[in-house]
Amino acid sequence: QVQLVESGGGLVQPGGSLRLSCAASGSIFSISAMGWYRQAPGKEREWVAAVTSGGVTTYADSVKGRFTISRDGAKNTVYLQMNAMKPEDTAVYYCNSRRYGLRWEGVLTGYWGQGTQVTVSS
C-alpha cells in the first residue's frame, strides 16, 4: 500500500511558474518509478513527465523544455517545476507511482494521489 499526497497547485498568470510536490509514504518509493499526469475538462488523463528509480527523466512533447521533474529520496518526495506556463496547462495534476517505468503515455496503472488544481489565467 502506497499513499501519495500532492500540493502546490493554484492560480498563475501565463508565463509564470509553479512547483508541485508529491509526498509519498510506503515501502516502494525508493525503488519505483514516479510520474505526473494531468486531466483537463472534457479530456482524457494525459501523461506529463516521469522519472525512473535511476533518475532518468522523460517528458511529453507538450511540456518539454518548460517542465522539470525531480525526486528527493531523503524526503520521499517528487517535484514538478513548471515554467513559462500556458493556459493550455490548466488541469488537475495527479502524482503516480508504479513498479515499472518503461511505458507511461496512455498507461494508467499504479498508485495515484488525490490531484491538485492548476489554473493558468490572466
Side-chain angles (χ1 to χ4, degrees):
Q1 51 188 17
V2 175
Q3 294 79 44
L4 304 172
V5 180
E6 300 100 332
S7 63
L11 176 64
V12 64
Q13 294 185 344
S17 298
L18 207 61
R19 189 179 76 162
L20 306 182
S21 300
C22 174
S25 60
S27 60
I28 67 171
F29 181 81
S30 63
I31 62 173
S32 62
M34 305 288 293
W36 289 94
Y37 290 75
R38 66 187 183 186
Q39 188 165 22
K43 296 185 178 180
E44 296 182 350
R45 191 165 297 188
E46 172 192 27
W47 171 68
V48 175
V51 57
T52 69
S53 59
V56 179
T57 60
T58 53
Y59 301 90
D61 289 340
S62 59
V63 306
K64 191 173 299 182
R66 299 187 298 118
F67 291 9
T68 302
I69 188 172
S70 61
R71 65 191 303 170
D72 185 343
K75 298 182 178 180
N76 282 356
T77 303
V78 62
Y79 304 94
L80 185 67
Q81 178 67 48
M82 304 182 290
N83 298 325
M85 299 191 70
K86 306 175 180 179
E88 304 92 274
D89 296 322
T90 297
V92 177
Y93 284 70
Y94 297 91
C95 181
N96 173 271
S97 176
R98 62 187 64 174
R99 182 66 178 85
Y100 305 104
L102 274 62
R103 301 183 65 184
W104 292 91
E105 188 172 12
V107 182
L108 305 181
T109 60
Y111 298 93
W112 297 90
Q114 82 287 353
T116 184
Q117 176 70 50
V118 172
T119 302
V120 185
S121 176
S122 60

